[in-house]
Amino acid sequence: MPQTLKQQRFVEEYLVDLNATQAAIRAGYSKRGARTEGARLLANAGIGAAIQHRMQERAERTQVDTDYVVRRLAAIAGADLRRLFDESGRLRPVTDLDDDTVASLAAIEVKTMDAGSGITEHVAKFRLADRVRALELLGKHLGLFVSRVHIEGPPESAEDIAKRVLSGLPGRRVSD
């Protein structure tokens, strides 16, 4: 677990946007060294454990976890427009739609218009959430779109890679 107040503050700030550099700045570390300090703090086992613990608490509190996200993406990807209409082809009230159908909607706009002779007409426009993007994210989650990378040279430790990246040194050649 983090020992100092500054480290505890870093954990809190990191959970805001998962940006180590900005979290380090907001926690009180210097702007000049924030990138390096953020990476160093993330590499600290105690801080990493604290972040994981807090993320788990948040997932339990909000009931938003991987299963929730995958279920929502599946609802968007599998949206069936027929569920929006009743048997006679009229748009169902939003309160009558099932959760998956509502989750697949990005926007609904209803305009009330006077059709004349005391007749009121309702015109509804709806926009579905991006189904292709939902399918793409589901595919990535399932490992369907894996890039193959060939790395030349001897293996490096995670510590060596971090030092090289933070110091701005060039890396080994990577090819597809």
Side-chain angles (χ1 to χ4, degrees):
M1 292 292 181
Q3 292 93 14
T4 70
L5 289 176
K6 216 180 223 189
Q7 289 174 333
Q8 291 172 10
R9 178 81 192 273
F10 172 81
V11 170
E12 296 295 321
E13 294 296 338
Y14 182 75
L15 293 170
V16 170
D17 56 9
L18 305 181
N19 182 318
T21 301
Q22 292 304 310
I25 292 168
R26 293 189 302 261
Y29 294 92
S30 78
K31 285 185 180 182
R32 187 172 171 205
R35 181 176 170 191
T36 303
E37 191 62 31
R40 187 187 67 73
L41 289 165
L42 284 180
N44 177 303
I47 291 173
I51 290 169
Q52 287 301 102
H53 177 73
R54 293 294 307 279
M55 289 176 99
Q56 181 63 36
E57 283 180 338
R58 180 170 53 193
E60 290 170 8
R61 185 175 62 254
T62 62
Q63 296 182 345
V64 174
D65 58 11
T66 305
D67 287 344
Y68 172 85
V69 172
V70 169
R71 280 194 308 273
R72 288 301 197 175
L73 288 171
I76 292 167
D80 185 349
L81 297 177
R82 295 173 294 189
R83 292 183 185 165
L84 294 170
F85 302 94
D86 65 18
E87 297 76 29
S88 60
R90 285 187 288 252
L91 191 63
R92 294 181 193 270
V94 175
T95 55
D96 291 350
L97 299 175
D98 63 88
D99 291 342
D100 285 349
T101 301
V102 172
S104 70
L105 294 172
I108 299 175
E109 179 185 336
V110 179
K111 290 185 180 182
T112 303
M113 300 169 23
D114 182 7
S117 303
I119 300 173
T120 302
E121 197 173 277
H122 301 283
V123 177
K125 293 181 181 180
F126 53 90
R127 184 169 37 94
L128 292 176
D130 188 345
R131 295 168 78 172
V132 172
R133 178 74 175 137
L135 285 167
E136 178 186 345
L137 291 170
L138 283 170
K140 284 181 179 179
H141 173 73
L142 296 171
L144 298 177
F145 312 121
V146 178
S147 294
R148 307 248 187 259
V149 176
H150 174 73
I151 301 175
E152 296 177 11
E156 289 182 274
S157 70
E159 185 177 310
D160 290 340
I161 293 170
K163 285 178 185 175
R164 181 176 41 75
V165 168
L166 292 174
S167 68
L169 295 175
R172 297 177 293 173
R173 256 185 50 198
V174 177
S175 60
D176 291 334

